[in-house]
Amino acid sequence: MSNVPNETEPRGLAPTLVLALGTFAVGTDAFVVAGFLPDLAASLGVTEGAAGQSVTVFAAAYAVLSPVLATVAARVPRRVLLVAALVVLGLANLGSALAPSFPVLVVTRVLAAAGAAAYTPGAGAVAAALVRPELRARALAVVVGGLTVATALGVPLGDLAGERLGWRYALGAVAVACLAVAAGVRAVMPVLPGAPPVPLRARLDVLRRPAVTAILPLTVLGMAASYTVYAYSAPALRAVGVEGTAGLLFLYGLGAVLGNLAAGYATDRWGAHRVLPAAYLVMAVSLGLLGWMAAPGAAAPSGALSSTPSGMPSGVLVGVLVLAWGASSWCQTPPQQHRLIAAAPLEAPLVVSLNSSAIYAGIGAGTLLGGLTLPSGAALTYGTGAALAAVALAYALATRRRDRDRP
């Protein structure tokens, strides 16, 4: 869907904002488990590491299903597809809220991943098509902004709901939000046709393009770096002296919102080849310092009135580092999507779908690594994330000359 009829252009802003509400619901669903992971694990009789693998299952299912659903649903009108995806997501969350056991929860998370995998790439492609090319990165940032606002508001609110009412009520609230947004998309979204049917093999031929294959691994590396820790943020933040995680999850989300919006503007102005290395440098430093603070005896608990060797109260330092971690995590998505669309402009919906698969492949890989390293201590989990961020930085610097997008 590279062109949109002219009569839809005046309505471009409102649909883009509603699309962002949809990605807010998707993001809340994908990440809310991090807020109440210990309670979920205790309720279903599994360890925290095992409970965190529900995020891995969601992410892996999303990564696999995204290109498949993009092929199967290619001819479906965009509004019908987006509404149906949100309805599936809502019903799956209702199933998760009622799950009597961990295996049943895993099944419902796979169904939720199917709804998310159908919605997010379609929303990104529609947003990119509704605006002029020079505003494309900012439009993508608005839609991705729904995911970042979910980390700022949806996940901390889910954390509080889990603490006050229980994790089942938190997932039930996510289900209601998904169904409400589905009604909003149905009311506001302009009528847009589907794309011509293209076989999956033909769709994946785009992966033979060096410009595309050079970009996607960076998405996997960058998201894995961040989500090595994020899914286990409750125990990881306890390791630096923080017991109540809602406030710091809000700071992470605030950083994600600011980083995402700044990245959209900066990419349009200066190019992705400058934005991405800065993001990975900030991520490596922030996770590395948190790992240093989590090491036994390295820093006093953040709740105390003690200070780090720099003279900054440790609680303030943790907040600053979490804010930077969130900003660096989510400022990578708009420039990556922009690079892919510039590399394959005629296959924009497909490459956005592949990037979404790469995002969730990275989240799944990072969550798996986090579950494996957490028993050895949060310092190792932070350090693993920092090391992956350093690898992403090196990869971004090595491949930036391949960028076809320039300011």
Side-chain angles (χ1 to χ4, degrees):
M1 182 178 51
S2 57
N3 295 310
V4 177
N6 289 335
E7 59 266 27
T8 67
E9 291 180 4
R11 301 182 63 191
L13 178 60
T16 300
L17 294 176
V18 174
L19 290 172
L21 289 177
T23 52
F24 171 81
V26 170
T28 301
D29 173 52
F31 310 134
V32 71
V33 173
F36 50 69
L37 185 68
D39 291 337
L40 184 149
S43 175
L44 297 181
V46 297
T47 65
E48 290 183 359
Q53 298 312 306
S54 63
V55 179
T56 302
V57 169
F58 179 99
Y62 185 112
V64 172
L65 290 172
S66 186
V68 174
L69 292 175
T71 299
V72 172
R75 300 183 66 178
V76 179
R78 299 298 91 180
R79 185 171 66 183
V80 173
L81 174 64
L82 296 178
V83 171
L86 288 169
V87 170
V88 169
L89 187 64
L91 295 178
N93 272 278
L94 184 60
S96 296
L98 299 174
S101 64
F102 186 69
V104 174
L105 177 75
V106 169
V107 171
T108 61
R109 299 317 293 156
V110 172
L111 293 175
Y119 180 83
T120 307
V126 168
L130 286 173
V131 298
R132 299 188 305 274
E134 62 270 21
L135 300 177
R136 185 179 293 151
R138 272 167 274 192
L140 290 167
V142 170
V143 175
V144 175
L147 296 174
T148 61
V149 173
T151 64
L153 295 178
V155 175
L157 288 176
D159 182 22
L160 291 175
E163 289 179 0
R164 303 285 178 87
L165 302 174
W167 64 270
R168 296 183 186 275
Y169 284 94
L171 287 175
V174 174
V176 172
C178 292
L179 297 175
V181 176
V185 171
R186 174 66 180 81
V188 176
M189 178 63 57
V191 176
L192 299 174
V198 180
L200 181 60
R201 178 178 296 180
R203 284 177 172 269
L204 296 181
D205 279 345
V206 74
L207 292 175
R208 296 181 181 179
R209 300 188 185 185
V212 173
T213 55
I215 294 169
L216 288 174
L218 185 58
T219 297
V220 177
L221 282 171
M223 297 308 292
S226 179
Y227 280 83
T228 297
V229 180
Y230 186 80
Y232 305 96
S233 54
L237 291 172
R238 282 201 304 266
V240 292
V242 177
E243 288 298 333
T245 60
L248 286 179
L249 286 175
F250 174 78
L251 279 178
Y252 175 97
L254 177 62
V257 172
L258 296 176
N260 173 69
L261 294 177
Y265 173 82
T267 300
D268 282 334
R269 185 170 179 84
W270 296 298
H273 61 292
R274 295 179 179 174
V275 174
L276 289 166
Y280 297 127
L281 177 61
V282 171
M283 190 188 303
V285 171
S286 58
L287 288 176
L289 288 174
L290 284 168
W292 167 73
M293 295 184 72
S302 63
L305 294 177
S306 56
S307 299
T308 63
S310 66
M312 179 183 293
S314 56
V316 175
L317 178 59
V318 169
V320 171
L321 293 175
V322 169
L323 185 75
W325 169 30
S328 60
S329 297
W330 284 98
C331 76
Q332 58 185 311
T333 305
Q336 281 290 90
Q337 288 183 332
H338 194 271
R339 294 174 77 199
L340 285 165
I341 292 174
L346 298 181
E347 294 89 8
L350 173 60
V351 293
V352 170
S353 173
L354 291 174
N355 193 59
S356 293
S357 291
I359 287 172
Y360 281 90
I363 291 173
T367 304
L368 180 62
L369 284 173
L372 293 174
T373 57
L374 189 63
S376 299
L380 178 60
T381 305
Y382 282 119
T384 302
L388 286 173
V391 173
L393 171 60
Y395 189 93
L397 292 173
T399 60
R400 63 179 177 176
R401 291 185 179 180
R402 292 177 177 264
D403 282 358
R404 295 178 59 183
D405 60 309
R406 289 293 185 267

